[in-house]
Amino acid sequence: MGTGERERLVVAVLTYRRPDRIAALVPALVAQAADLERRGGPDVAASVLVVDNDPAGTGARAVDDVRPAGQGWPVTTVVEPEPGIAAARNRALRAGADHDLLVFVDDDEVPGEGWLAALWTTYRETGAQAVTGPVTSTFEAEPDPWVRAGGFYDRAHRAGLATGTVVRTAATNNLLLDLRAVRRAGLAFDPALGLSGGEDTHFTSALTAAGGRIVWCAEAVVADVVPADRLTREYLLARTAGLANSSARVALLLAPGALARARVRARTLAAGLARCAVGSAQTLLAAVRSDVAGDARGRRALARSRGELLAVAGRVLLPYARQG
């Protein structure tokens, strides 16, 4: 894109029954948008979109409660009543249809200084169709040693990547998308993954397959704020199984044809069985040695194995399913 053209960028944040978090986050996103406009000058206009996935509109009302009186505020709220993360993300794509760029961020995250400007600058400098960056975890309560040892919130696989490095997939908790490329490729989030997760990996894999480039921006950091109720062993093992299950399902969905799916299923079965054997040995040895770290790693391996083997058997775990 030439520097003389003014691009319209919208930061989209999805929320579901977290009114306190969305009320705290939106003013921070407005500040990021203003910072981007100061840095980008006439080249960019930025705004914020809140997609409330609660049919009762609790998130939209929370945003209205913090909306300043008597002045313009670049924030739009919409309510998406259909349950599921894919439905909410697709609503964001539709609501942002008159924009050039859309940035996804989660409602339990806090953007670092210059986060939005860093994403946009990397996009402009690389000409990529998407830009993603680091997510670090911070904790509302100190995790116990078992949680720390298990590495349940570690994201070391992309640590140290240089800005501009091409990656094949990305999560939507810190992601800039060129909506023109998305529209050209006819992409949307798969509703079949709406309650299980993995919709972001599936979507960004499809973007890559359509010829899009996703690049890394090391300077665009957001912090994931983990509440105390997501530090329990029960939650973390269920989360691990769910992530493994959705990852395996996405790999099967992306496989081009029956033979490729059979190969993916065979690899996943082998990996799941091997992980089960290793995890079982680790937990048994940890019990003998009273080894907290070994127990955490072993149980994490068993949880991953469970998710993978269930996917091979055609079973779907639904961490986003709603109760009641």
Side-chain angles (χ1 to χ4, degrees):
M1 151 116 11
T3 56
E5 299 180 54
R6 186 173 177 85
E7 292 177 300
R8 297 188 64 198
L9 178 150
V10 62
V11 181
V13 55
L14 281 51
T15 190
Y16 177 70
R17 294 185 180 176
R18 289 175 171 172
D20 293 342
R21 287 190 180 275
I22 196 66
L25 176 59
V26 166
L29 296 180
V30 170
Q32 291 274 341
D35 174 65
L36 172 58
E37 290 188 345
R38 283 193 298 271
R39 300 187 193 208
D43 290 335
V44 63
S47 59
V48 177
L49 168 69
V50 177
V51 179
D52 187 358
N53 206 200
D54 180 7
T58 53
R61 287 197 299 274
V63 173
D64 287 338
D65 287 343
V66 297
R67 187 183 299 270
Q71 66 183 74
W73 211 42
V75 179
T76 302
T77 59
V78 296
V79 176
E80 174 50 60
E82 182 179 344
I85 193 78
R89 295 209 186 282
N90 284 331
R91 181 62 181 273
L93 294 181
R94 294 195 303 273
D98 58 346
H99 290 73
D100 303 301
L101 307 171
L102 183 145
V103 176
F104 278 119
V105 66
D106 286 353
D107 67 350
D108 55 358
E109 293 177 335
V110 177
E113 183 178 356
W115 158 75
L116 186 59
L119 285 175
W120 181 76
T121 299
T122 299
Y123 154 75
R124 297 277 287 196
E125 291 178 348
T126 63
Q129 286 67 54
V131 183
T132 188
V135 179
T136 62
S137 292
T138 62
F139 304 101
E140 288 187 344
E142 175 60 28
D144 70 37
W146 187 91
V147 173
R148 289 281 191 190
F152 291 94
Y153 287 103
D154 289 351
R155 297 178 174 90
H157 63 294
R158 287 181 174 172
L161 283 184
T163 295
T165 301
V166 175
V167 297
R168 294 192 59 79
T169 64
T172 42
N173 53 2
N174 186 5
L175 179 67
L176 179 150
L177 291 169
D178 185 333
L179 291 177
R180 293 155 297 199
V182 170
R183 289 189 283 266
R184 283 195 299 269
L187 300 181
F189 292 92
D190 190 342
L193 300 168
L195 298 178
S196 64
E199 82 296 334
D200 46 5
T201 301
H202 185 267
F203 180 94
T204 53
S205 294
L207 178 62
T208 297
R213 280 191 307 126
I214 307 170
V215 302
W216 183 256
C217 177
E219 297 78 20
V221 181
V222 298
D224 172 33
V225 182
V226 182
D229 62 1
R230 294 191 175 187
L231 293 173
T232 66
R233 298 186 185 195
E234 180 182 16
Y235 173 83
L236 290 169
L237 293 175
R239 176 180 181 269
T240 298
L243 289 172
N245 185 259
S246 65
S247 178
R249 289 184 65 227
V250 167
L252 287 166
L253 286 171
L254 292 171
L259 180 58
R261 281 193 297 275
R263 289 172 177 164
V264 171
R265 188 171 281 108
R267 287 197 302 269
T268 305
L269 175 62
L273 291 173
R275 222 181 298 279
C276 181
V278 170
S280 298
Q282 284 180 310
T283 54
L284 287 172
L285 185 59
V288 172
R289 296 179 174 178
S290 298
D291 178 5
V292 171
D295 181 75
R297 289 192 292 267
R299 293 187 186 278
R300 183 182 180 188
L302 288 172
R304 289 184 64 187
S305 169
R306 175 174 176 265
E308 290 165 339
L309 295 178
L310 286 174
V312 170
R315 295 279 303 280
V316 181
L317 298 178
L318 302 173
Y320 293 104
R322 298 179 183 178
Q323 305 299 320

